[in-house]
Amino acid sequence: MCRRVSLIQDLCDEARESIKLGLISVSIGRGLSRLPRGNQDRALSAIQRHGLSCRETEKLVSALLTRPKSEHDSILTDPQKIVIDRANPILELK
């Protein structure tokens, strides 16, 4: 129960609504909740636009948390550069 309350408190309104409507999974919401609320809307938009999975969302969030803010725009514009190459899931793009 504590995790659910924490998830609700930590997520931006748009992400909570997307979960309610079934547009994203709770796992994706959990990943988004690691980001500051002010950054969640843009990340959510990129996740939905590119159809990222839970694992891809985790990689996106990790990149946003560890890389400098100056790189965030390029990461969100083309998150495929940091997530698994879908054509060859064994390789990771760097």
Side-chain angles (χ1 to χ4, degrees):
M1 185 68 168
C2 290
R3 284 189 218 160
R4 289 182 184 173
V5 171
S6 176
L7 181 64
I8 290 169
Q9 291 175 342
D10 294 340
L11 274 178
C12 65
D13 295 338
E14 188 177 344
R16 282 197 309 260
E17 193 63 29
S18 293
I19 291 172
K20 285 180 190 176
L21 295 173
L23 300 175
I24 63 169
S25 68
V26 173
S27 297
I28 289 176
R30 194 175 311 118
L32 279 172
S33 70
R34 292 176 46 213
L35 293 172
R37 286 182 73 133
N39 297 345
Q40 292 176 4
D41 288 336
R42 292 184 61 215
L44 175 62
S45 177
I47 290 164
Q48 291 176 320
R49 186 174 55 252
H50 294 279
L52 300 184
S53 69
C54 297
R55 288 184 185 186
E56 292 169 333
T57 297
E58 287 297 325
K59 288 185 179 205
L60 174 68
V61 168
S62 292
L64 293 172
L65 291 172
T66 58
R67 296 202 181 161
K69 288 188 180 196
S70 60
E71 294 181 20
H72 288 192
D73 285 338
S74 64
I75 291 170
L76 293 172
T77 300
D78 189 12
Q80 299 302 330
K81 290 180 181 177
I82 58 145
V83 298
I84 295 173
D85 180 9
R86 292 179 180 172
N88 190 355
I90 297 172
L91 298 177
E92 245 183 75
L93 299 177
K94 294 190 180 202

